[in-house]
Structure formats: structure tokens, C-alpha cells
């Protein structure tokens, strides 16, 4: 029976940012198939949040400076890129106003003015303000990497777009090991930015793969699947008929020798014969015929019916019926015209 063993997953270790998981047993080759699929999905498709644009009073573009701020605009943007943020799944975009007067230091803690924003690294330094820093920071939710282009004609003056890395996954590696029984064992090592636990990220990636493969699985509604067990049974039956020797039927030595001499070597050869053809084999009698029929029945097989034998048996039944009818008529003193096969046979004898 062609059945795939069901693998299990075990957590070897896990904390807020790193987790190691082992999946197995897997059929040979499936370790790399599953490992590559999960790794690519984890790195490219897990959603996250990042700063996507900023707008500062007194700054027209990213290569300028802000009066009363130590860092220039490009340095402040690079610091914003290092922020690790988390926003609710049902929120696409959040705008946070910044209005800081110095002397002071602006850090990730400043963005916590909005309760929907979770800052994993609030101590990250963003800017040193001697006088004043005011503006708007936009945090968006997305997947993968967002590369910004040049500002378009409809863009607002002073709005600076930022290249964003949304993915909360920092690193994914996997190793495929061979177990003692020859199957594969997949070991995954997942590192996140702490906005998502490794086990949650892995479950999310698996859910995405399942939803995509479900589109292919839906083809079964149009093209019904044949169960693996049914396929195995059909293949086994076909091999039984076409290839297996009659010796596997374990017939008596007399019946088996008679069949061998008649060049009946396989079960396929045997079930292609009629009972009459078997009886024509030298030394193959009624007892051997009954033995063959009983053994074939245990394999849900049978000899083919002979149309000639059916016709002969039907004719014999007709003769017997006509003879009985004639006998009854003569006993009653009636004259019977014998035009049946039985009557013709009687006339020929006379």
C-alpha cells in the first residue's frame, strides 16, 4: 500500500528572536523540497511594518540639513530604517507627529506616542536636537522589500520616501539529515526581529503555502482522485494476471504438470482458456478442472466462458425438453409431428 508517513514537528529551542525546529520523518528528497519552500516563503512573504516616509519642517530633500539638529537628514533617515516596529494586522498605515524641543535626544521611544505602534528597540538613537525638530513619520505595513523611486510630479514638497524592509525575518537556514531508517529529517533555524516569534512565523509561512497549494488541490473536484490504495490494488491485480507463474497457485502436481506441458505458464495464460479447452489437455480431467476453478475463485478470477459450450448446452436442453414433450403426447395417444432436432435425430436413426 503506497502511503506516505505523516511527519511531526518538534521545537528544539525557541526564544523571542530565534527558534530551531525539526520536521520528520520525510520521504527521501522531500527534506530539501520542504526546506527550500519554507525558507523562500519566510524571507519574502511574511508581513511586517517599517517607516516608509518622513517629512520635516525646514527640509526639502534627503540631502539637506535641519537647523538646530546635529545629524543631517540622510543620517536621520538611516536611523529610522533601523527601527523595529510592529503595528496591528488590520492597520495599513499610521502617521505620527514629531514635535521635540531641545536640547534633547530623539529615540524610538518618541514613536510610542501612538499606542498602536510597538517599538522593539525604543533606545535606538534617531537625532540630537539642540533647538527644534518637527515633522511627520509614516509607518506602513507590507511584505518583503519596498524600493522607492524619484519623487513624482504629484508628490508633496518635503515628503521624503524611504526604502523599507518589511520582513520581520532576519535569517533562515536549514539542514537535511538522513535518519537510521533512510528517511529525511529537516532541521530549520529561524531568526526574527522579535516582532514575531519564530514558531508564529513558521506557521504563517506554512499557511501561505497551504493556501496556494489548495488551488491545485481543488482540481480534484473536476478530476476525481483515485485513492492510493485503489491504485495499488489495481497494479497488484495486473501483475498477478500478466506476470505471475501458475506455480503460485499451488495446484496439485498432476494439474500443474499438465498445464506446463500445454505451455500454460502464467495465470494470464490460464484464465484465457475455457473449461472445454482445459479438458482437451492430455490427462487433464474434471477433477483437475474443478481444482483450478476453486483456486482461481480465491483470487477473484475465473476461466472465460465458451460461447460454443453455451450453445451446445442450450441445444442439449432443447432436445431434452422436446423428448419429454413427445413422451407425454404419445402416452396420451396423440400423434406428434417431429420437426424438432430431437425428432430429426430419431428419423435418422430409423
Amino acid at each position: 500500500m503506497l502511503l506516505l508517513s505523516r511527519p511531526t514537528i518538534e521545537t528544539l529551542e525557541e526564544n523571542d528572536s530565534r527558534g530551531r525546529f525539526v520536521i520528520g520523518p520525510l520521504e527521501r528528497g522531500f527534506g530539501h523540497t520542504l526546506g527550500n519552500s519554507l525558507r523562500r516563503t519566510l524571507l519574502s512573504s511574511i508581513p511586517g511594518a517599517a517607516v516608509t516616509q518622513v517629512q520635516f519642517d525646514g527640509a526639502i530633500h534627503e540631502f539637506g540639513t535641519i537647523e538646530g539638529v546635529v545629524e543631517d537628514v540622510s543620517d536621520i533617515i538611516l536611523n529610522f530604517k533601523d527601527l523595529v516596529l510592529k503595528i496591528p494586522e488590520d492597520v495599513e498605515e499610521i502617521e505620527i507627529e514629531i514635535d521635540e524641543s531641545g536640547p534633547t535626544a530623539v529615540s524610538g521611544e518618541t514613536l510610542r506616542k501612538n499606542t498602536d505602534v510597538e517599538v522593539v528597540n525604543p533606545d535606538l538613537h534617531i537625532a540630537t536636537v539642540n533647538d527644534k525638530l518637527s515633522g511627520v513619520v509614516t509607518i506602513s505595513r507590507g511584505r518583503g522589500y519596498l524600493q522607492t523611486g524619484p519623487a513624482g510630479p504629484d508628490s508633496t514638497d518635503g515628503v521624503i520616501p524611504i526604502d523599507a524592509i518589511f520582513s520581520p525575518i532576519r535569517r533562515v537556514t536549514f539542514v537535511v539529515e538522513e535518519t537510521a531508517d533512510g528517511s529525511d529529517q529537516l532541521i530549520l533555524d529561524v531568526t526574527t526581529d522579535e516582532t514575531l516569534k519564530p514558531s508564529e512565523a513558521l506557521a504563517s509561512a506554512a499557511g501561505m503555502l497551504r493556501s496556494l497549494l489548495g488551488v491545485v488541490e481543488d482540481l480534484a473536484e473536476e478530476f476525481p482522485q483515485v485513492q492510493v490504495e485503489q491504485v495499488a490494488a489495481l497494479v497488484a491485480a495486473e501483475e498477478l494476471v500478466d506476470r505471475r507463474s501458475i506455480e503460485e497457485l499451488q495446484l496439485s502436481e498432476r494439474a500443474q504438470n499438465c498445464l506446463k506441458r500445454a505451455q500454460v505458464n502464467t495465470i494470464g495464460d490460464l484464465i484465457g482458456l475455457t473449461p472445454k479447452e482445459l479438458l482437451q489437455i492430455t490427462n487433464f480431467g474434471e477433477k483437475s478442472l474443478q481444482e483450478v476453478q476453486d483456486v482461481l475463485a480465491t483470487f477473484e478470477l475465473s476461466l472465460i466462458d465458451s460461447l460454443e459450450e453455451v450453445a451446445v448446452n442450450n441445444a442439449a436442453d432443447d432436445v431434452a425438453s422436446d423428448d419429454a414433450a413427445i413422451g407425454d403426447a404419445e402416452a396420451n395417444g396423440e400423434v406428434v409431428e417431429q420437426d424438432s432436432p430431437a425428432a430429426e435425430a430419431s428419423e435418422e436413426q430409423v
Side-chain angles (χ1 to χ4, degrees), residues 49-56 80 85-88 91-99 110-118 134-141 156 158-160:
V51 176
T52 54
Q53 68 181 30
V54 295
Q55 182 179 12
F56 299 119
F80 272 122
L85 306 170
K86 183 177 181 180
I87 63 176
V91 176
E92 295 296 327
E93 185 176 281
I94 295 177
E95 290 186 351
I96 300 177
E97 293 185 0
I98 296 179
D99 188 8
T110 306
L111 301 184
R112 286 187 172 179
K113 291 179 179 180
N114 189 309
T115 56
D116 288 335
V117 178
E118 179 181 340
S134 60
V136 178
V137 177
T138 302
I139 301 172
S140 303
R141 185 173 178 82
T156 304
V159 174
I160 304 172

Side-chain angles (χ1 to χ4, degrees), residues 131 316 327:
D131 187 6

Side-chain angles (χ1 to χ4, degrees), residues 17-280:
S17 62
R18 184 185 179 189
R20 296 181 66 244
F21 311 91
V22 56
I23 305 174
L26 300 168
E27 297 292 323
R28 291 181 62 87
F30 273 84
H32 287 91
T33 300
L34 183 59
N36 278 315
S37 300
L38 288 172
R39 181 177 183 274
R40 292 176 66 87
T41 305
L42 282 166
L43 291 174
S44 65
S45 302
I46 305 300
V51 176
T52 54
Q53 68 181 30
V54 295
Q55 182 179 12
F56 299 119
D57 295 342
I60 301 176
H61 51 74
E62 61 182 304
F63 302 108
T65 59
I66 302 173
E67 185 177 353
V69 179
V70 174
E71 293 82 3
D72 56 26
V73 176
S74 59
D75 289 335
I76 296 174
I77 290 175
L78 289 175
N79 291 335
F80 272 122
K81 285 185 178 183
D82 290 335
L83 279 174
V84 180
L85 306 170
K86 183 177 181 180
I87 63 176
E89 295 182 1
D90 58 344
V91 176
E92 295 296 327
E93 185 176 281
I94 295 177
E95 290 186 351
I96 300 177
E97 293 185 0
I98 296 179
D99 188 8
E100 299 293 328
S101 299
T104 186
V106 178
S107 65
E109 184 71 30
T110 306
L111 301 184
R112 286 187 172 179
K113 291 179 179 180
N114 189 309
T115 56
D116 288 335
V117 178
E118 179 181 340
V119 183
V120 177
N121 53 346
D123 296 332
L124 177 69
H125 178 76
I126 295 176
T128 303
V129 180
N130 293 327
D131 187 6
K132 186 175 183 179
L133 175 65
S134 60
V136 178
V137 177
T138 302
I139 301 172
S140 303
R141 185 173 178 82
R143 301 176 188 270
Y145 174 71
L146 173 65
Q147 183 176 8
T148 61
D154 297 332
S155 62
T156 304
D157 290 340
V159 174
I160 304 172
I162 300 177
D163 295 342
I165 300 177
F166 295 107
S167 176
I169 308 300
R170 292 292 179 257
R171 183 171 178 266
V172 180
T173 61
F174 71 89
V175 176
V176 178
E177 298 180 349
E178 184 175 348
T179 61
D181 59 0
S183 60
D184 282 354
Q185 178 176 269
L186 173 64
I187 301 177
L188 278 164
D189 192 331
V190 182
T191 303
T192 70
D193 61 5
E194 297 187 19
T195 61
L196 193 65
K197 293 187 65 175
S199 57
E200 296 173 343
L202 186 58
S204 179
M208 292 179 187
L209 289 174
R210 182 177 60 182
S211 63
L212 291 174
L213 294 176
V215 177
V216 182
E217 187 180 13
D218 289 342
L219 288 175
E221 298 177 2
E222 182 177 357
F223 305 101
Q225 294 179 340
V226 178
Q227 296 297 327
V228 175
E229 296 85 348
Q230 294 175 348
V231 173
L234 292 174
V235 171
E238 183 178 354
E239 291 181 351
L240 178 67
V241 172
D242 293 342
R243 301 180 181 179
R244 294 189 180 181
S245 170
I246 60 170
E247 295 176 352
E248 297 192 24
L249 297 177
Q250 298 182 353
L251 297 170
S252 63
E253 186 175 353
R254 177 186 179 87
Q256 181 173 302
N257 290 338
C258 290
L259 292 173
K260 286 286 189 179
R261 284 195 298 269
Q263 302 301 314
V264 181
N265 298 314
T266 67
I267 298 176
D269 295 336
L270 178 59
I271 65 175
L273 299 175
T274 66
K276 182 178 179 179
E277 289 172 334
L278 284 178
L279 291 174
Q280 292 174 350

